[in-house]
Amino acid sequence: MKDTIFKVVEEERKSLEQVHAKEREIWKIEHDKDQENVSLAIQEALQEQRKISQETLKIAMAEEQKRSKRAVEEAVRRTRNELMEYVKEQKRLDQVIRQRSLSSLELFLSCAQKQLSFLISEEPASTEGGEYEKLTSTDSG
């Protein structure tokens, strides 16, 4: 009877080992499927994240380009205004210099006219050669 019980227990143990082995195989298959599903889900999430990152990067680059464009336009506008102010100032300075030159020339011409008037009023009208002789004789003597 002991042998019979031992055989029955042994058969039951073998039967349970087979069931356990089948369950382990089923679990392994399901585990592999789950692992594959998890891998696919991770890949999809990574692709989605890449797509989101690319869109974010495109938006950020577009905004930066707009900011850069505005900064360049502002710099050009400011430079143009400064250049226009510089040109105006140069024209004003040129006008001042021109005015001074004209004033100096006017003063020179006025003095020359007075000298000529004085010379004309001092000397009586004489011949051309006589006037030359007078001028040269006063220089040498």
Side-chain angles (χ1 to χ4, degrees):
M1 177 132 169
K2 240 179 176 181
D3 281 338
T4 314
I5 293 176
F6 186 69
K7 283 184 181 184
V8 170
V9 169
E10 188 63 30
E11 286 177 15
E12 189 63 31
R13 188 181 59 80
K14 285 181 182 180
S15 174
L16 285 175
E17 281 181 3
Q18 287 177 354
V19 169
H20 184 63
K22 286 181 182 181
E23 285 178 358
R24 197 177 316 141
E25 285 179 27
I26 292 171
W27 177 85
K28 189 175 180 185
I29 291 170
E30 287 177 3
H31 178 70
D32 290 344
K33 274 185 181 179
D34 290 343
Q35 285 294 97
E36 188 178 320
N37 288 338
V38 166
S39 293
L40 288 174
I42 289 172
Q43 287 177 359
E44 288 174 5
L46 285 174
Q47 287 177 350
E48 185 66 27
Q49 189 61 41
R50 281 188 198 125
K51 196 182 292 184
I52 290 170
S53 295
Q54 287 175 351
E55 288 299 317
T56 304
L57 183 62
K58 283 180 186 178
I59 291 169
M61 287 176 62
E63 288 176 5
E64 185 59 32
Q65 285 175 343
K66 286 179 187 177
R67 271 188 247 126
S68 295
K69 185 178 178 181
R70 277 181 269 179
V72 167
E73 288 172 353
E74 177 64 23
V76 167
R77 185 188 58 77
R78 198 174 329 117
T79 303
R80 184 178 294 133
N81 289 342
E82 288 173 2
L83 184 59
M84 288 173 64
E85 288 298 318
Y86 174 78
V87 168
K88 285 179 186 177
E89 183 64 18
Q90 289 301 313
K91 284 182 180 180
R92 188 188 68 76
L93 291 174
D94 287 348
Q95 185 64 29
V96 167
I97 291 171
R98 195 175 302 115
Q99 192 64 36
R100 284 182 185 166
S101 296
L102 289 175
S103 294
S104 297
L105 183 60
E106 183 181 12
L107 180 63
F108 171 77
L109 289 175
S110 175
C111 289
Q113 185 180 17
K114 285 182 182 178
Q115 286 178 349
L116 284 173
S117 295
F118 179 73
L119 288 174
I120 289 174
S121 68
E122 288 285 318
E123 293 184 19
S126 64
T127 62
E128 290 177 20
E131 212 167 297
Y132 176 74
E133 288 171 12
K134 255 188 185 178
L135 288 175
T136 55
S137 66
T138 55
D139 288 341
S140 61

